[in-house]
């Protein structure tokens, strides 16, 4: 069956006065119906820009090349009118900071009903009922009253729920969640992740969960894609990735997480060094300066993403960790 | 969505640049600003070096020519003559001295008042800050020109007082900016660290706060100068500013406006040089603002 | 909302008081009296004149008398125009100045907003640079340079419009243009900067992500947010137009208040100068209040403060 989203050889770059920044480099992946793909990486890894390219939300100086297919239909660089038939309808996106992502000058009601009025041709009243319904589903108390309020009258966690509700109004088949919990308190994070899990079970929609926090991925993602310096470092099902990471970077990420089940008061393990400058990328493997396993082939030749087992791929010259 | 989201990665390849070197680089890339700077320097030089350029004196009357006569290139009257058969072009240059001097002096006055007011309010904070800024708010609502005009009426048109008067009504923006900067800098951790390690308040102000304020202050100074020149020209135009035999660009434009039917070159010349100067100053100010506080424009 | 307005009103009253007091005491400080210019009059006549105008009373008493008069709409007699009271002059000239100023501000808003939004939507294009350079000229060049040049070109050379006077529609054109040009420029620049910032904001990104048509995103989301700084600028805009009108009325011989102010200043007609300043000061304060009200309507954060 066709994947919901099929990305092939995506290249996204930005032209700046100081040169071209290659944010996404030859990235390919797909998301099947109903599955949750976790995309992990630090700032600058390109994880968000992939989906900005998919949704046509790149900044003015950004260019995306390659192929992005939504259920078999090519959507990369589609004309805005055509793209608007998919955005918000079949494919929705929620963002990191719910305060700035909601229009402070319009009521929540307006921001929700406009989606239904535009895409489903609903009347104001019908749209309002649907909006309140969805606010109930995302567990906003007193939804009927609250829907008339303005974003600044909601707390951080509730705003994110509002954003989720807004994204689900047209029952999309794919929800892209760009760091949905990063700006929230830890306790609220857990609630939002629970909500996403519940919605996924009830609607069967696919989710692309972008985060820098491995803890967020665990429990929600079926498959995980690890990004580094604009490229895919490793791709695997969630379980095997956590148990036996095959890329030094993934291993480093996992090791740097403090764990409750380790009793020894060890120093926190970190990955030394800094991510590379995307305008002046080093030759060979981009991770080699920080990799404890690097050998001569790493400097000479850039490792390509290769399949190493059923459903597993990595971009590393090492045979196995 | 903006490019700023891309982390370029600090260490290896990119060379760090100090704020000022960076700003200068950005300023020089702004063609309009650079061109304006050159033109402005030429105008300033022409005006202040006029006595040494071997030109006619500004009060030199030539009885052979008619008043408000047309430009006469053979005899060197680039803008023709004025009402009293004097060289209008030379008078314009000398008038420029007055206007530019007012510009710089009044700006200096507003700078001093504004910085002291703003820094004090921002540094002390609390009720005093609130009170001082209330006064700024109130003064902001008052139509300046009216007060400047009244001040000139009251003080019998002494030139220096005009400079002071204009400066005295132009300091409000400066005070606001300086106060804002002082507050944001004061809250930063390195100030707390300095205070905690016992650095005296005075040293904190001079060594840390003032250098960090300089950026926006410089921008506002460059934008205040044209405003001040404009204000002075305005009141001189109405006949309430500089008096004969001195003249500023405002008075010259005023005279030329009256006879524009018979001597259109006069208003074009005098008004033109005033306009070009103000335009250049505005472009320079804009360029400085972009250089010191870059946003994706 | 009421709370917000009350606070604004509370700030307005001391401001007005300061304007009145400041004007009054400044005028009284001026050396020489309103009669200093005329021929030397015999001492008894001078004393009688002073008494008639209450100028022989102590200063604070004169001030209270003035305040009292203001409350009754009496700005005192004009020292120069002997047959008129200042109030008569002001209210006689006001309709003219009002027409001029109102048309100017409406035009400035309409054209400035449109131009700013148009430029922002074409950011960094040639059209944008052109528009912004032209508006820079509008801001920098004083209106007393623009007005004569316009008059020269259109009034004299091309003979399309009259160069002075009032009464006919064609009289309005040149003065209104001279008056509103700088404000069109200022509003255009402000709108453009605000619009550019809003267009790259997160909530506009969300609107796009929701698949809303571009037209809706721009009007309902972007413009709505971008307009706020312009609303804040309304107060200063009105102040600038009032200031500009002083010169424009002079140049085009328009019988408005601005002209009285200039004459009064040159003639040391105290009461007239004070009256105009107080009147315009109050008008500006009123416009600021209206702008604040409008801002409160548009910004829900303020509304429910």
């Amino acid at each position: 069956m066709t994947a919901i989203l099929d990305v092939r050889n995506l290249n996204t770059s930005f032209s700046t006065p100081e040169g071209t920044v290659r944010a996404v480099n030859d990235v390919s992946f797909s998301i099947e119906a109903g599955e949750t793909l976790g995309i992990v990486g630090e700032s600058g890894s390109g994880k968000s820009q992939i989906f900005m390219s998919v949704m046509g939300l790149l900044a003015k100086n950004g260019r995306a090349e390659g192929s992005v297919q939504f259920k078999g239909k090519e959507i990369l660089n589609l004309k805005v009118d055509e793209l608007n038939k998919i955005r918000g309808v079949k494919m929705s996106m929620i963002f990191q900071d719910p305060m700035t992502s909601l229009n402070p000058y319009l009521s929540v009601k307006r921001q929700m009903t406009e989606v239904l009025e535009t895409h489903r041709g609903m009347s104001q009243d019908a749209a309002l009922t649907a909006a309140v319904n969805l606010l109930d589903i995302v567990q906003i108390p007193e939804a009927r009253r609250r829907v008339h309020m303005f974003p600044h009258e909601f707390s951080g966690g509730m705003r994110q729920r509002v954003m989720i509700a807004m994204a689900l109004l047209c029952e999309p088949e794919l929800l892209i969640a760009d760091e949905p919990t990063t700006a929230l308190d830890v306790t609220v994070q857990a609630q939002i992740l629970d909500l996403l899990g519940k919605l996924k079970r009830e609607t069967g929609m696919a989710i692309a969960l972008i985060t820098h926090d491995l803890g967020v991925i665990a429990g929600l993602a079926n498959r995980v894609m690890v990004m580094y310096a604009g490229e895919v470092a490793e791709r695997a099902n969630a379980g095997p990735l956590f148990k036996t990471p095959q890329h030094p970077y993934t291993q480093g990420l996992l090791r740097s997480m403090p764990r409750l089940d380790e009793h020894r008061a060890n120093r926190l393990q970190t990955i030394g060094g800094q991510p590379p400058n995307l305008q002046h990328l080093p030759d060979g493997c981009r991770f080699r300066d920080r990799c404890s396993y690097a050998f001569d082939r790493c400097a000479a030749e850039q490792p390509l993403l290769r399949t190493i087992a059923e459903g597993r791929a990595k971009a590393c010259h090492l045979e196995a960790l | 969505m903006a490019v700023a989201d891309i982390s370029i990665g600090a260490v290896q390849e990119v060379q760090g640049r100090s704020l000022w070197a960076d700003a200068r680089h950005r300023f020089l890339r702004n063609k309009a600003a650079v061109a304006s700077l050159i033109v402005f320097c030429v105008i300033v030089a022409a005006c202040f070096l006029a006595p040494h350029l071997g030109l006619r004196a500004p009060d030199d009357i030539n009885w052979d020519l008619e008043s408000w006569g047309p430009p006469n290139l053979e005899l060197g009257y680039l803008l023709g003559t004025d009402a009293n058969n004097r060289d209008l072009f030379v008078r314009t240059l000398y008038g420029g001295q007055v206007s530019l001097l007012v510009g710089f002096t009044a700006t200096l006055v507003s700078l001093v008042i504004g910085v002291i007011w703003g820094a004090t309010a921002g540094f002390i904070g609390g009720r005093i800050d609130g009170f001082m800024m209330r006064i700024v708010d109130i003064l902001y609502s008052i139509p300046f020109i009216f007060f400047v005009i009244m001040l000139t009426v009251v003080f019998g048109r002494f030139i220096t007082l005009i400079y002071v008067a204009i400066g005295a009504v132009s300091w409000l923006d400066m005070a606001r900016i300086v106060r804002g900067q002082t507050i944001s800098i004061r809250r930063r951790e390195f100030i707390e660290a300095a205070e905690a390690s016992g650095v005296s308040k005075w040293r904190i102000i001079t060594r840390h706060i003032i250098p960090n304020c300089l950026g926006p202050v410089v921008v506002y100074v460059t934008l205040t100068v044209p405003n001040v020149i404009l204000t002075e020209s305005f009141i001189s135009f109405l006949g309430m500013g500089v008096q004969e035999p001195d003249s500023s660009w405002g008075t010259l434009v005023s005279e030329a406006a009256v006879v524009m039917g018979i001597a259109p070159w006069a208003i074009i010349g005098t008004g033109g040089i005033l306009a070009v100067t103000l335009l250049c100053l505005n472009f320079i100010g804009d360029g400085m603002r972009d250089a010191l506080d870059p946003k994706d424009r | 909302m009421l709370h917000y307005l009350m606070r604004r009103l509370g700030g307005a009253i001391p401001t007005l008081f300061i304007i009145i007091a400041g004007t009054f005491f400044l005028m009284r400080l001026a050396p020489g009296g309103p009669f200093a210019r005329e021929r030397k009059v015999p001492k008894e006549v001078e004393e009688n004149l002073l008494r008639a105008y209450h100028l022989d009373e102590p200063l604070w008493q004169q001030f209270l008398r003035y305040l009292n008069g203001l409350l009754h709409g009496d700005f005192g007699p004009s020292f120069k125009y002997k047959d008129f009271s200042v109030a008569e002059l002001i209210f006689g000239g006001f309709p003219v100045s009002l027409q001029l100023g109102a048309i100017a501000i409406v035009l400035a808003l309409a054209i400035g907003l449109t131009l700013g939004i148009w430029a922002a939507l074409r950011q960094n294009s040639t059209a944008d640079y052109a528009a912004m350079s032209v508006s820079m000229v509008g801001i920098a060049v004083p209106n007393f340079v623009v007005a004569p040049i316009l008059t020269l070109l259109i009034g004299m050379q091309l003979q399309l419009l009259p160069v002075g006077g009032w009464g006919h529609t064609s009289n309005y054109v040149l003065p209104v243009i001279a008056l509103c040009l700088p404000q069109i420029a200022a509003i255009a620049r402000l709108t453009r900067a605000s619009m550019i910032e809003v267009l790259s904001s997160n909530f506009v990104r969300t609107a796009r992500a929701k698949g809303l048509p571009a037209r809706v995103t721009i009007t309902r989301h972007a413009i709505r947010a971008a307009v706020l700084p312009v609303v804040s600028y309304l107060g200063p805009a009105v102040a600038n137009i009032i200031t500009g009108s002083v010169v424009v009325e002079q140049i085009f011989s328009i019988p408005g208040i601005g002209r009285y102010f200039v004459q009064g200043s040159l003639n040391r007609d105290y009461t007239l100068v004070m009256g105009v300043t107080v009147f315009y000061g109050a008008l500006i304060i009123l416009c600021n209040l209206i702008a604040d009200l409008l801002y409160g309507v548009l910004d829900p954060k303020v509304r429910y403060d």
Side-chain angles (χ1 to χ4, degrees):
Chain A
M1 84 173 165
T2 346
I4 295 276
L5 193 70
D6 195 9
V7 176
R8 294 212 177 285
N9 309 107
L10 180 65
N11 279 285
T12 303
S13 55
F14 294 88
S15 52
T16 71
E18 285 91 21
T20 312
V21 178
R22 308 198 56 196
V24 178
N25 229 314
D26 204 30
V27 168
S28 306
F29 65 94
S30 63
I31 304 182
E32 305 294 324
E35 80 161 330
T36 301
L37 177 69
I39 300 104
V40 185
E42 43 196 310
S43 309
S45 57
K47 57 191 193 303
S48 294
Q49 297 306 323
I50 294 175
F51 292 92
M52 293 297 189
S53 310
V54 166
M55 288 280 284
L57 293 174
L58 284 179
K60 277 206 202 92
N61 60 341
R63 274 178 47 97
E65 292 163 337
S67 157
V68 174
Q69 292 197 347
F70 184 83
K71 290 175 75 173
K73 182 177 166 192
E74 181 65 42
I75 62 170
L76 188 63
N77 295 325
L78 201 58
K79 282 229 300 269
V80 176
D81 304 332
E82 290 297 313
L83 201 51
N84 280 337
K85 294 186 189 151
I86 304 181
R87 298 198 288 202
V89 191
K90 307 219 187 85
M91 179 171 71
S92 291
M93 189 161 178
I94 61 175
F95 302 96
Q96 177 175 332
D97 183 5
M99 184 60 218
T100 54
S101 297
L102 289 171
N103 190 328
Y105 308 107
L106 296 174
S107 65
V108 165
K109 173 186 119 171
R110 196 74 197 89
Q111 297 187 55
M112 291 185 77
T113 55
E114 66 182 351
V115 176
L116 291 169
E117 285 170 28
T118 308
H119 293 301
R120 293 270 188 268
M122 283 173 134
S123 69
Q124 283 236 6
D125 293 324
L128 181 59
T129 318
V132 172
N133 199 23
L134 213 36
L135 287 178
D136 277 329
I137 294 177
V138 298
Q139 294 155 3
I140 300 260
E142 298 180 82
R144 194 171 308 273
R145 186 176 67 89
R146 284 216 143 99
V147 75
H148 298 283
M149 291 175 146
F150 290 86
H152 71 274
E153 299 178 83
F154 290 73
S155 72
M158 291 221 286
R159 277 180 227 137
Q160 196 61 294
R161 291 173 194 272
V162 167
M163 282 230 60
I164 293 173
M166 216 160 61
L168 296 178
L169 282 169
C170 296
E171 293 158 358
E173 293 169 65
L174 171 64
L175 175 70
I176 304 170
D178 189 358
E179 308 233 35
T181 55
T182 307
L184 305 171
D185 296 334
V186 172
T187 43
V188 180
Q189 272 187 30
Q191 292 170 2
I192 298 291
L193 292 174
D194 280 342
L195 176 63
L196 284 176
K198 172 181 118 134
L199 291 165
K200 168 185 144 171
R201 280 189 300 276
E202 288 174 6
T203 62
M205 67 183 172
I207 301 183
L209 185 54
I210 306 166
T211 177
H212 64 270
D213 186 344
L214 280 167
V216 166
I217 295 284
L220 263 184
N222 303 114
R223 283 194 301 138
V224 182
M225 189 166 86
V226 180
M227 299 280 305
Y228 186 77
E231 291 179 341
V232 180
E234 184 171 2
R235 207 165 53 210
N237 290 337
L241 187 98
F242 279 87
K243 279 214 212 62
T244 51
Q246 285 302 307
H247 193 288
Y249 178 58
T250 318
Q251 187 187 64
L253 281 180
L254 285 165
R255 282 217 189 118
S256 66
M257 287 175 62
R259 299 175 58 139
L260 285 175
D261 57 349
E262 278 176 3
H263 299 288
R264 294 158 293 167
N266 275 342
R267 284 189 99 184
L268 207 56
Q269 288 206 0
T270 56
I271 312 176
Q274 297 257 13
N277 183 338
L278 290 174
Q279 284 175 323
H280 304 283
L281 289 161
D283 301 324
C285 173
R286 297 172 179 196
F287 186 64
R288 64 180 164 88
D289 288 332
R290 311 167 74 187
C291 182
S292 38
Y293 303 92
F295 54 100
D296 37 347
R297 191 175 170 205
C298 301
E301 188 190 321
Q302 205 188 348
L304 296 170
L305 193 64
R306 57 192 172 96
T307 318
I308 54 175
E310 175 69 45
R312 282 200 85 147
K314 73 171 181 182
C316 181
H317 292 308
L318 282 177
E319 276 314 313
L321 273 183
Chain B
M1 186 173 162
V3 178
D5 286 335
I6 305 290
S7 151
I8 303 257
V11 189
Q12 298 101 337
E13 315 292 334
V14 179
Q15 258 156 351
R17 273 198 289 223
S18 80
L19 176 69
W20 295 102
D22 204 23
R24 190 176 54 217
H25 179 87
R26 253 196 297 270
F27 185 84
L28 291 173
R29 259 211 322 247
N30 184 338
K31 284 176 256 179
V34 172
S36 299
L37 188 59
I38 296 175
V39 171
F40 180 67
C41 289
V42 167
I43 293 179
V44 172
C47 290
F48 285 99
L49 294 176
H52 309 286
L53 288 177
L55 296 167
R56 223 161 277 120
D59 46 11
D60 206 12
I61 302 180
N62 185 330
W63 297 107
D64 295 330
L65 297 170
E66 53 182 1
S67 60
W68 292 115
N72 188 328
L73 289 172
E74 310 166 341
L75 294 176
Y77 285 84
L78 289 171
L79 281 178
T81 51
D82 72 349
N84 296 322
N85 294 39
R86 297 173 288 192
D87 186 337
L88 187 59
F89 181 67
V90 172
R91 289 204 73 211
T92 309
L93 288 182
Y94 276 79
Q97 290 182 8
V98 176
S99 293
L100 290 167
L101 212 54
V102 177
F104 294 131
T105 326
T107 303
L108 197 62
V109 171
S110 83
L111 176 67
V112 169
I113 302 179
V115 167
I116 294 179
W117 193 274
T120 314
F123 198 70
I124 298 183
R127 302 267 293 275
I128 297 188
D129 172 28
F131 177 69
M132 289 176 88
M133 294 326 279
R134 262 338 241 114
I135 295 186
V136 170
D137 282 339
I138 289 178
L139 290 177
Y140 219 82
S141 312
I142 295 177
F144 298 144
I145 300 281
F146 291 84
F147 271 92
V148 172
I149 291 178
M150 281 195 299
L151 282 171
T152 59
V153 169
V154 166
F155 292 111
R157 301 131 187 218
F158 300 121
I159 272 196
T160 347
L161 280 168
I162 296 178
Y163 301 173
V164 172
I166 297 178
V169 299
S170 312
W171 58 269
L172 297 177
D173 272 325
M174 189 77 67
R176 277 215 180 128
I177 297 290
V178 172
R179 172 188 175 265
Q181 282 292 104
T182 311
I183 287 182
S184 79
I185 293 170
R186 191 166 192 278
R187 289 217 184 109
R188 290 219 231 139
E189 283 103 16
F190 72 89
I191 296 290
E192 285 181 19
E195 282 178 336
S197 43
V199 181
S200 79
K201 278 202 160 54
W202 180 245
R203 271 201 121 207
I204 292 180
I205 294 181
T206 47
R207 282 294 214 82
H208 297 291
I209 297 192
I210 290 190
N212 277 292
C213 282
L214 278 185
V217 167
V218 165
V219 171
Y220 264 92
V221 164
T222 29
L223 289 174
T224 305
V225 174
N227 276 337
V228 162
I229 296 180
L230 188 62
T231 307
E232 183 275 324
S233 313
F234 191 90
I235 57 177
S236 294
F237 179 86
L238 292 173
M240 293 176 237
V242 177
Q243 296 297 304
E244 281 275 347
D246 292 318
S247 59
S248 75
W249 281 331
T251 51
L252 290 170
V253 170
S254 168
E255 292 170 14
V258 173
V259 296
M260 70 182 158
I262 56 170
W265 54 84
I267 184 85
I268 294 176
T270 50
I273 195 171
L274 174 60
V276 167
T277 307
L278 290 175
L279 203 57
C280 288
L281 282 168
N282 272 295
F283 272 121
I284 295 172
D286 240 26
M288 301 222 68
R289 179 169 33 204
D290 283 345
L292 287 167
D293 179 28
K295 285 183 196 161
D296 251 349
R297 293 177 89 238
Chain C
M1 179 69 141
L2 198 62
H3 199 238
Y4 166 71
L5 279 181
M6 293 306 284
R7 256 186 306 146
R8 285 281 176 267
L9 203 62
I13 296 178
T15 312
L16 191 57
F17 186 77
I18 289 180
I19 293 179
I20 298 174
T23 322
F24 183 87
F25 288 108
L26 258 185
M27 284 276 93
R28 285 292 181 269
L29 278 175
F35 309 113
R37 283 225 181 153
E38 310 193 359
R39 306 186 314 266
K40 202 79 181 90
V41 287
K43 205 152 188 299
E44 310 91 54
V45 181
E46 186 176 337
E47 277 172 13
N48 278 331
L49 277 172
L50 286 176
R51 207 173 312 129
Y53 286 105
H54 303 286
L55 290 175
D56 54 339
E57 289 175 358
L59 218 52
W60 60 270
Q61 209 172 340
Q62 292 186 42
F63 181 57
L64 286 176
R65 184 181 292 275
Y66 188 67
L67 273 181
N68 190 38
L70 279 184
L71 286 171
H72 294 92
D74 175 20
F75 287 84
S78 162
F79 287 159
K80 213 58 197 169
Y81 301 96
K82 299 283 178 17
D83 295 328
F84 295 95
S85 74
V86 171
E88 282 170 350
L89 291 172
I90 290 181
F91 292 116
F94 184 52
V96 176
S97 299
L98 180 63
Q99 276 181 337
L100 187 61
I103 299 178
I105 192 97
V106 166
L107 269 183
L109 277 173
I111 302 179
L113 279 171
T114 315
L115 195 59
I117 293 174
W118 182 83
L121 289 173
R122 289 160 185 71
Q123 191 187 356
N124 291 336
S125 69
T126 335
D128 178 30
Y129 282 133
M132 284 305 111
S133 301
V134 168
S135 63
M136 178 70 97
V137 174
I139 288 180
V141 178
N143 56 2
F144 58 85
V145 168
V146 169
I149 297 204
L150 273 182
T151 313
L152 194 63
L153 284 173
I154 302 181
M156 292 183 177
Q157 304 284 11
L158 298 176
Q159 303 249 326
L160 281 176
L161 292 164
V163 300
W166 197 248
H168 203 255
T169 334
S170 57
N171 286 116
Y172 286 65
V173 180
L174 285 180
V176 165
I177 293 180
L179 201 52
C180 71
L181 265 174
Q183 297 315 308
I184 292 179
I187 291 177
R189 302 196 91 212
L190 189 58
T191 310
R192 175 189 177 272
S194 172
M195 190 74 179
I196 286 177
E197 200 175 311
V198 165
L199 282 173
S200 65
S201 70
N202 286 347
F203 62 83
V204 167
R205 179 182 63 183
T206 304
R208 291 201 178 114
K210 292 197 294 197
L212 297 175
R215 193 186 21 93
V216 171
T217 305
I218 292 176
T219 46
R220 190 180 298 155
H221 288 264
I223 295 183
R224 180 74 190 275
V227 145
L228 281 167
V230 179
V231 171
S232 295
Y233 180 69
L234 273 181
V238 168
N240 284 332
I241 287 197
I242 288 178
T243 312
S245 72
V246 168
V247 132
V248 165
E249 285 176 15
Q250 186 83 344
I251 294 177
F252 291 99
S253 310
I254 295 175
I257 303 185
R259 215 161 59 136
Y260 286 135
F261 180 76
V262 174
Q263 311 289 19
S265 303
L266 292 170
N267 296 331
R268 292 174 177 273
D269 190 341
Y270 293 151
T271 39
L272 183 55
V273 169
M274 283 197 308
V276 173
T277 307
V278 168
F279 182 75
Y280 269 153
L283 190 62
I284 292 176
I285 291 175
L286 182 66
C287 289
N288 270 312
L289 278 175
I290 295 178
D292 285 339
L293 182 69
L294 204 56
Y295 194 93
V297 165
L298 289 174
D299 186 353
K301 279 177 278 195
V302 161
R303 216 191 296 174
Y304 296 101
D305 199 346

